[in-house]
Amino acid sequence: MKTILIYLIGIAQVLCFSSTNAQPSEANYDESKVPAYTLPDVLVLENGEHVVSENQWINFRRTEILHLFENDVYGKTPDKKVEFTFTTTKTVTNFMGGKATLKEVDLQLQTAVDVPIIHLLVIVPNDITGPAPAFVGLNFDGNQTIDASTEITLAKIWDMETRKSYIASEEIRGDAKTRWPLEQIIDRGYAVITAYYGDIDPDFYDGFKNGIHPAFDDQRNESSWASIGAWAWGLSRMLDYAGTDPAIDQEKVAVIGHSRLGKTALWAGAQDQRFAMVISNCSGCGGAALSRREYGETIQRITTVFPHWFCGKLASYGTKINELPIDQHELIALIAPRPVYIASAEDDQWADPRGEFLSAVAASPVYELLGTDGFPAKDMPEVNQPVIGQIGYHIRTGKHDITTYDWEQYLDFADRYMKSTE
Ligand code: GTR
C-alpha cells in the first residue's frame, strides 16, 4: 500500500514540478516527440578506438564505463572497508509448514559511528539436496510485509512525512506478499534473502546522516554515492551473507529489484560481478530506460524530486541530457556476460517500456562480443511474449508492479542459467 502511495506522491510531485518549471512543461508520452538522439557507442573507447576483443572490453572499456557511472550517475561506492558481522538472531526450521527454514540475521557494521543494524530475512527450502540458488532483493516496507507469518519480526520503518522511525504495525504483515510469491519460489528450490531498504538508508534527503553513509564518508562531493549507491552496497553485503550460509550457493545468486529498487539491483549487479544474474522489474528512468529518450520520467525530473537517489552531478545534465557521456544501455552492458532480465509493464509508461527494451537492444553487442547470444530481438515484442537470450525481456499487461507473472518468467530464467545441469 505504502509503496503505491509513494508512487502516487511521485506522480503528484511531477505534476507540481511541471506547473512550476518552464521545462519540461509536462511528461512526454508521444513517441513522435522523443527528441532525436545518438547513443554513446558502448564499444568505442573514449579515445575513439573500437573495442573488438574481450580483453579490450574487460580491461579498458568496461572500466571506463563503470567510472562514468560512478562519476556522473550513482556516485562512487567508497573504497574504504568497514568490518561487519552477521549474527543469527532467530531460526525457525518448520517455516511454511515445514517447507522452509527461516532465519533472521543482524548485519552490523563495526564502527564507532552510530549506524543502523541491517536486518536480513533468509528463507531457504528444506527439501533440496545441496546449497540452494537464491534471489537477493530489498523490500520497501519491512521484512514482515513479504509474508503474513508472525514469525517475522516487525521492522522499524521510516515515516516519510515525519521522518521518524517507528515499529511497523501488525496490520501490514503480508502487505507485499504478492510481490514475493514465497510458495512458488521455495517450491522451485530457491532461497530468498531480503532486507528493508530503509535499514540501509532512509528514502528521503537527510544529508546522508541516517543510514550507513556516516560510517564511510569523510567528506562528500558531487560524485559521492547517494541512496541508490548505499542500497546497492547493502545488496552486496547480503551476497556476502550467502557465502557464510552453507544452505545457500553463493555462486548462484540473482539480484532482483522493483522500481527504484530495480535501478538499485542493476547498479549492484553492474558493480559486483559475483552476482550470477540481475533482474530489473519496472526500473524505468535511472534504471533500464534510456535517459536520452525523455519519454515519461526524465533525468531532470527525477533528480529534482528525488535528489538523494543519485550523485549530485547527475542533476547538472537535466537540461542537457545529450552531454551525459553515458546512457543506461551501458549499465546493462556492465553486467555482461552474466544473464540479465529487464521487465516492463504496459500501463507503466512513466518508466518508458520502449526505452527499457531499446537498452537491451543496444547492450547486446557487448554480450555478443563476450560470446553469448545477447538479445535476440530488434523489434518490441507483443505483451506477455518474453524474448529470451542472455538478455531477457518482457512487457506484461498491467501496471507498475511486480507480479506472479513476472516471477514465473524470472524463475524460468533462473532455471535456465543458474540451476546446475548435473
Ligand atoms: C516513482 C519514481 C520512479 C520509480 C517509482 C518507485 O515515483 O518516479 O522512478 O522509482 O517511484 O520506486 O516506486
Side-chain angles (χ1 to χ4, degrees), residues 10 35 50 62 64 138 182 184 186-187 194 199 223-224 244 251 254 264 274 298 323 334 413 415 419 421:
H50 285 258
R62 186 179 191 285
E64 239 175 43
L138 297 169
L182 284 184
Q184 207 179 336
I186 294 294
D187 285 350
T194 187
D199 273 0
S223 292
S224 291
T244 69
E251 290 184 4
T264 305
R274 298 174 304 161
T298 61
E323 290 179 29
L334 288 177
F413 198 63
D415 278 358
K419 280 270 172 78
T421 43

Side-chain angles (χ1 to χ4, degrees), residues 19 37 101 112 151 167-169 180 182 194 227 245 259 264 268 332 382 401 405 408 418:
S19 61
Y37 64 85
T101 295
E151 295 287 10
I167 305 282
S169 72
W180 298 89
L182 284 184
T194 187
S227 294
D245 189 331
S259 205
T264 305
I332 309 303
E382 294 297 314
D401 197 2
Y405 175 86
E408 275 163 12
M418 294 206 306

Side-chain angles (χ1 to χ4, degrees), residues 6-7 10 140 259-260 263 285 297 301-302 306 309 350 400:
I6 296 170
Y7 192 67
F140 283 98
S259 205
R260 67 198 69 188
K263 309 179 208 300
C285 181
E297 188 169 28
R301 183 270 176 189
I302 205 169
F306 304 105
W309 284 0
W350 182 238
H400 183 77

Side-chain angles (χ1 to χ4, degrees), residues 327-370:
D327 212 313
Q328 298 302 111
H329 62 302
E330 294 172 291
L331 180 66
I332 309 303
L334 288 177
I335 297 162
R338 293 163 295 151
V340 59
Y341 200 113
I342 300 169
S344 313
E346 193 180 20
D347 300 340
D348 186 20
Q349 293 298 314
W350 182 238
D352 187 12
R354 180 174 292 278
E356 299 193 301
F357 167 80
L358 291 173
S359 257
V361 174
S364 190
V366 176
Y367 275 81
E368 290 163 41
L369 177 75
L370 300 182

Side-chain angles (χ1 to χ4, degrees), residues 139-148 172-177 180:
N139 62 70
F140 283 98
D141 295 301
N143 294 340
Q144 78 289 334
T145 59
I146 82 155
D147 188 87
I172 69 165
R173 284 192 185 282
D175 257 15
K177 66 172 189 274
W180 298 89

